[in-house]
Structures are given as structure tokens and as C-alpha cells.
Amino acid sequence: MSTSQVTSFYYSGQGSVLLAERDVSGNALGFTPVGNVTALTLGIEVSKLEHKESVSGSRGIDKTLIQEVNVSMSMVMESLFKENLAVALYGSSSSVAAGSISDEQVVARHDKWVALSEPNLSAVVIGDDAVPTNTYIEGTDYLLNAAAGSFMALSTGGIADAQTVFVDATTGGHDVVEGFISSAAPERWLRFEGLNTAEGDKTVVVDVYKFAIDPLAELALINEELAEMTVEGSVLQDTTKPTGGTSQYFRQQYVVV
């Protein structure tokens, strides 16, 4: 065959990754983009039986039998918003509205930071009782980290060591991620809506029907560069999908014209 008749189709991918919860029938319950993903990979492993013939004397392999197929998926995510973290940490996410704390009782410790119940504080008042006789002064009696929601009673101030103080404050809104409140792997429909930039930005769509996500192995909290997290898991067989010419694992669709 002449090489002039060969047409090559090259691929270099970019695009959006979306996740959806599944109903009991395996249908996607609406997709949410996960933000910037710098790498998305499908991995396929097989275990096979190799049969050796015993006639020729060379013990040549004359038959292979696929015994098991394992499909995995990995993506590197840079958007560490609460929903992504909750899925990767087997937890939950929520948003706390602005409000207030009133008469929160906290045991003060001289020259040590003590945590309050919420961060993002303003208009903080620390007193010696619910109806205070003494209201303490920031910078003289205590130090305050209003953003983090903590304070330090100064040994040079008017708060006694191990004294119970009462705190009032205005609280700003903030997000909460509760980690590892479930031991069950989240199962999501993953959809990649991409572009093949090597072929004129032609559309590529990949649907992974049942992605069982492994717990996050590492979450960097102090870093020099932009933080990222690697989310890995198994692509499970989705028995809600028909057999006979269609996959129960994933489907790829390419626009080539």
C-alpha cells in the first residue's frame, strides 16, 4: 500500500470534566463541572491465562484467555472548592450563612491560642460573664485572630489563666467540608467534554458511567505552587447499560469531519 494513501488522526486533548450523581437506574442526575483539570487518564489492565502446548517440546504458548479486565481513572484537579474536596475526602460540604455567636463559653489559657466555634469574626466582645462586669481589651488583655476565629489571653492582662470567658461576635459566611463521614466510595458518572487541539479543535466526548472514587491519598496544605489533588478510582461495570455491541464501562465519541 502506498504511504500516500495513509491518513493519520492525531490527538492532543483539552476540555471540561463534569461529575454527576447517579440514580438507582444508573442515570446521571445533572452534571457539574469540576474546574480546571490538568491531566485525565484512563488505565486498562488485564490478567490472562497463558496456555502452553506440550507437543512440540518448545512449550510454546498456543492460547491466551483473558480472565479479568480492570479499568481505572485518574485526574489531576486544581479547583479545590468544597464540592470537589467533599467527594475526594468521602465527606460532605455546606455553606454557613453569616450570623452571630452569643455568650460562647471558652476556657482561656495564658499565652496560648484558643479556638472559637466559628471563623470570620467581627465585632468581638470578650467578657467575664454573660452579662459582663468586665469587658476585656484586645491588645491589652488578649490577642485576636478574627479571620481564623481564635484568641490568646495575655499573662500580662486581666484574664486569669484557665478562666472561663464569654464571647459575643458577628460571624461572616464560610464554607465547611467534613472529611470521612462515610466509608462507602462515591460513585459518579464522569463526562469529558473536550477538544482535540491537534485536529482543529474537533469535539471529543467521553462518558464514564460508573467511576468509584478512591479516598484522596494526599492533600497539600502548604505549598509554593498552585495546589492540586490527584483523584483516582476504578471504572466499574455498569450493569444498567445494555450489552451486545455497547460498552458497560465507557464510551468515546469523536467528531472527525
Side-chain angles (χ1 to χ4, degrees):
M1 181 177 67
S2 171
T3 57
S4 63
Q5 296 176 323
V6 176
T7 300
S8 298
F9 181 72
Y10 298 104
Y11 179 79
S12 179
Q14 299 273 281
S16 298
V17 178
L18 307 96
L19 292 178
E21 295 187 43
R22 294 159 38 94
D23 65 16
V24 293
S25 299
N27 301 309
L29 297 176
F31 291 95
T32 301
V34 303
N36 198 50
V37 173
T38 60
L40 180 67
T41 306
L42 273 168
I44 301 173
E45 294 182 358
V46 298
S47 61
K48 59 185 179 180
L49 172 67
E50 295 184 337
H51 179 266
K52 296 180 180 180
E53 54 82 22
S54 55
V55 177
S56 68
S58 63
R59 295 182 175 83
I61 296 174
D62 63 353
K63 184 72 173 178
T64 60
L65 177 65
I66 300 298
Q67 295 179 305
E68 184 178 0
V69 176
N70 291 316
V71 185
S72 62
M73 176 151 255
S74 173
M75 60 178 165
V76 180
M77 307 171 72
E78 288 188 326
S79 295
L80 274 64
F81 52 74
K82 64 180 187 297
E83 292 83 1
N84 286 351
L85 286 168
V87 171
L89 294 172
Y90 285 30
S92 66
S93 64
S94 61
S95 294
V96 178
S100 63
I101 56 176
S102 179
D103 297 333
E104 181 175 333
Q105 298 183 46
V106 185
V107 177
R109 303 294 179 185
H110 274 176
D111 304 324
K112 295 181 180 180
W113 290 98
V114 175
L116 299 171
S117 60
E118 295 194 38
N120 196 9
L121 304 179
S122 61
V124 177
V125 176
I126 299 179
D128 61 355
D129 208 333
V131 181
T133 302
N134 295 307
T135 299
Y136 300 108
I137 301 171
E138 182 182 355
T140 299
D141 298 310
Y142 65 92
L143 302 179
L144 177 68
N145 185 338
S150 60
F151 80 99
M152 175 192 290
L154 298 172
S155 56
T156 55
I159 301 174
D161 191 31
Q163 176 185 338
T164 297
V165 296
F166 293 73
V167 180
D168 295 334
T170 299
T171 61
H174 60 280
D175 293 333
V176 177
V177 175
E178 301 283 355
F180 292 98
I181 62 174
S182 172
S183 59
E187 294 179 356
R188 297 291 188 269
W189 185 315
L190 184 147
R191 182 174 173 87
F192 173 56
E193 297 182 348
L195 299 172
N196 182 0
T197 61
E199 296 286 347
D201 289 346
K202 289 185 170 61
T203 299
V204 179
V205 178
V206 179
D207 283 289
V208 176
Y209 305 123
K210 196 174 184 181
F211 177 35
I213 298 170
D214 294 340
L216 193 65
E218 180 179 80
L219 177 62
L221 298 178
I222 296 178
N223 33 54
E224 298 275 342
E225 307 293 336
L226 290 175
E228 60 185 26
M229 60 182 184
T230 300
V231 176
E232 300 176 318
S234 300
V235 178
L236 304 181
Q237 183 180 16
D238 184 359
T239 56
T240 67
K241 300 295 181 287
T243 58
T246 59
S247 174
Q248 293 185 313
Y249 293 88
F250 63 90
R251 176 180 62 180
Q252 298 173 271
Q253 300 178 84
Y254 297 94
V255 176
V256 296
V257 294

